[in-house]
Amino acid sequence: TAPQQHWRNVLLHSPQTQSWTLTEESRNRTNLLRLKVEREKLSDGMDRYKYLNSLNLMVKINEIHNRNDQLYNRAFELLNKTNQFNTTGKRWRESELLDFLMSKRGTIYSANVRDRFANHGLTAMAIVSGSTIIQFVMSCRIFGLGIEIALLNQIMKKMHDSGIDKITAAVKDTGRNASSRDFYRSNGFSLDHIEDGEMEIWAENGVQNAPEWIIFE
């Protein structure tokens, strides 16, 4: 019976088998990917700065503290589906995430994005506890627009406003998250130490400016 019990526990509690409500972003994924292709065609032969300014990028930053928040389902979905831009690659059971938010007084910061082509919805998020950014993830649909830099900028400002002097951030090489490996380094962080031989802890050296082509709502 031991093997049966083992597989029962895997099926019931593995992050990969956790169910979530189908979100608007998932339902519209095909159309949003099509619009991404159209958006990138616009950049052909155009100055990069001029192109980014032409998109009219609007970003709204939200804080998610519990299961009742209307953005929670999408945040949980993005967290467990993202591989490329995922600073630690950690997968969460819903009970684990909810317990973390309550017992560790953690906060999920999310970025809802829209441009002149579409409303992309919640496409980037980070989990913060105390003075540490535990995990940062972003959809590949908005690579190259500076959304991750804008979100990091706002998170750090809010953390400093709350009285935190020095912000740290965790990074782990999963073999699939090369897109996020240098995220903190390129935003002014320095490697502080390595925990358990694999988890890098980066320390800030000041808040970097948000991209000037992004407007915060």
Side-chain angles (χ1 to χ4, degrees), residues 149-215:
I149 301 172
L151 178 56
L152 180 63
N153 166 274
Q154 294 297 291
I155 290 173
M156 293 180 70
K157 284 184 175 180
K158 288 177 180 290
M159 292 174 75
H160 283 311
D161 287 346
S162 72
I164 294 171
D165 292 325
K166 199 74 171 178
I167 298 170
T168 57
V171 176
K172 179 181 177 182
D173 184 2
T174 68
R176 296 191 293 175
N177 63 348
S179 298
S180 61
R181 289 288 293 121
D182 288 326
F183 174 51
Y184 293 113
R185 186 200 308 274
S186 62
N187 281 280
F189 283 65
S190 300
L191 181 62
D192 188 77
H193 64 280
I194 298 177
E195 295 180 352
D196 301 322
E198 58 180 7
M199 187 70 76
E200 300 174 356
I201 304 300
W202 291 73
E204 68 150 315
N205 293 299
V207 181
Q208 304 294 303
N209 292 331
E212 51 189 68
W213 58 82
I214 290 177
I215 301 171

Side-chain angles (χ1 to χ4, degrees), residues 11-12 19 35 40 49 82 116 159 177 180 185 199:
L11 291 172
L12 288 175
S19 62
L35 291 172
E40 291 176 344
Y49 182 76
T82 305
R116 68 186 182 91
M159 292 174 75
N177 63 348
S180 61
R185 186 200 308 274
M199 187 70 76

Side-chain angles (χ1 to χ4, degrees), residues 82-96:
T82 305
N83 293 311
Q84 295 180 55
F85 199 106
N86 188 329
T87 53
T88 67
K90 178 175 171 57
R91 301 306 195 206
W92 295 76
R93 297 188 305 274
E94 185 167 20
S95 59
E96 179 186 19

Side-chain angles (χ1 to χ4, degrees), residues 128-144:
V128 173
S129 179
S131 61
T132 302
I133 303 173
I134 301 295
Q135 191 170 3
F136 200 115
V137 304
M138 182 177 68
S139 168
C140 62
R141 287 190 286 104
I142 57 167
F143 277 7

Side-chain angles (χ1 to χ4, degrees), residues 89-106:
K90 178 175 171 57
R91 301 306 195 206
W92 295 76
R93 297 188 305 274
E94 185 167 20
S95 59
E96 179 186 19
L97 180 59
L98 292 174
D99 180 67
F100 179 85
L101 292 176
M102 290 186 293
S103 64
K104 302 292 186 181
R105 296 184 179 179

Side-chain angles (χ1 to χ4, degrees), residues 20-33 73-74 76-78 81 120-123 141:
W20 48 69
T21 303
L22 185 64
T23 64
E24 189 70 22
E25 288 86 348
S26 287
R27 284 193 291 268
N28 293 333
R29 186 172 188 274
T30 300
N31 184 54
L32 289 172
L33 287 172
N73 285 331
R74 170 56 181 166
F76 182 68
E77 177 184 58
L78 185 65
K81 289 177 66 176
H120 302 280
L122 196 165
T123 52
R141 287 190 286 104

